Amino acid sequence: MVVKHMRVAILCLFLLSIPFPLLPSQNPHSPIFNGSNAYEHLTAQTDFGPRPPGSENLSLCRQYIVDTLETYNWTVTLQNFTYKDVDCVNIIGTWASEESSPYVFGAHYDTRPFADNDPDVNNRNEPVLGANDGASGVGVLLELAIALPIEIRSSVELVFFDAEDSGNIDGWDWIVGSTYYVDQ
């Protein structure tokens, strides 16, 4: 999982290096990604504890994400759906655009209900805190919400997926929230 998240971080840094065309009246903006801020977003999420779909902890985390995006002046839309009788919510952040954004940056904010694949069999019934798998990607996206140049923010949609990480537990599929998002 660490390799997966390192790839996401490298991809985000790569995407920040892509030059976006500026209009003559615009001043160039050098985005400053603050890793300490991203880490603070990570710890804020883990402070809620494990965040499986439908849990109170996930609802608190969702509100934190919404509040943070709104503080940064992003427009937030909640995409509600139900899966296996559990109410789930994708969070979509857009920037003053009525058109579809050509770029979607996404991460999931839910965690596995328990660590069924932990190498230590004694931990397999323990809940997953999700610092690396879940909170790290969300931390990166929340920092991108403020670091992206204002001129290109309308080209980007920030999506925080619910119900992604419970695959093979109680009959759940993987990537439920992102599948729902794409289908809509």
Side-chain angles (χ1 to χ4, degrees), residues 142-165:
L142 290 175
E143 180 56 19
L144 282 175
I146 195 72
L148 285 171
I150 291 173
E151 304 84 37
I152 66 161
R153 290 182 189 176
S154 62
S155 299
V156 174
E157 196 167 86
L158 302 175
V159 186
F160 303 81
F161 299 109
D162 192 356
E164 292 288 283
D165 208 15

Side-chain angles (χ1 to χ4, degrees), residues 70-84:
E70 289 177 344
T71 297
Y72 296 157
N73 294 317
W74 287 76
T75 300
V76 176
T77 303
L78 299 179
Q79 186 181 53
N80 298 291
F81 62 100
T82 302
Y83 184 77
K84 303 264 184 206

Side-chain angles (χ1 to χ4, degrees), residues 11-184:
L11 175 63
C12 288
L13 292 174
F14 169 76
L15 290 171
L16 282 174
S17 71
I18 297 173
F20 288 88
L22 297 175
L23 299 174
S25 64
Q26 294 175 323
N27 294 325
H29 169 76
S30 297
I32 299 172
F33 184 93
N34 186 320
S36 295
N37 288 346
Y39 186 76
E40 287 179 24
H41 291 305
L42 179 150
T43 58
Q45 293 169 81
T46 58
D47 286 347
F48 296 121
R51 301 167 306 283
S55 69
E56 178 64 23
N57 288 352
L58 188 67
S59 294
L60 294 169
C61 183
R62 179 182 312 116
Q63 192 60 54
Y64 172 80
I65 294 168
V66 168
D67 291 346
T68 302
L69 289 171
E70 289 177 344
T71 297
Y72 296 157
N73 294 317
W74 287 76
T75 300
V76 176
T77 303
L78 299 179
Q79 186 181 53
N80 298 291
F81 62 100
T82 302
Y83 184 77
K84 303 264 184 206
D85 296 324
V86 175
D87 293 330
C88 303
V89 183
N90 290 332
I91 306 164
I92 303 168
T94 56
W95 187 267
S97 176
E98 294 180 17
E99 298 179 21
S100 295
S101 302
Y103 302 103
V104 174
F105 297 165
H108 72 94
Y109 68 103
D110 65 311
T111 60
R112 276 183 90 63
F114 53 88
D116 58 321
N117 292 313
D118 194 292
D120 183 346
V121 295
N122 296 318
N123 293 332
R124 291 189 179 166
N125 290 320
E126 296 296 318
V128 176
L129 187 57
N132 190 40
D133 189 3
S136 61
V138 170
V140 167
L141 288 186
L142 290 175
E143 180 56 19
L144 282 175
I146 195 72
L148 285 171
I150 291 173
E151 304 84 37
I152 66 161
R153 290 182 189 176
S154 62
S155 299
V156 174
E157 196 167 86
L158 302 175
V159 186
F160 303 81
F161 299 109
D162 192 356
E164 292 288 283
D165 208 15
S166 295
N168 298 330
I169 295 178
D170 296 331
W172 277 58
D173 290 322
W174 293 96
I175 63 169
V176 174
S178 57
T179 301
Y180 182 81
Y181 169 82
V182 170
D183 287 346
Q184 299 307 305

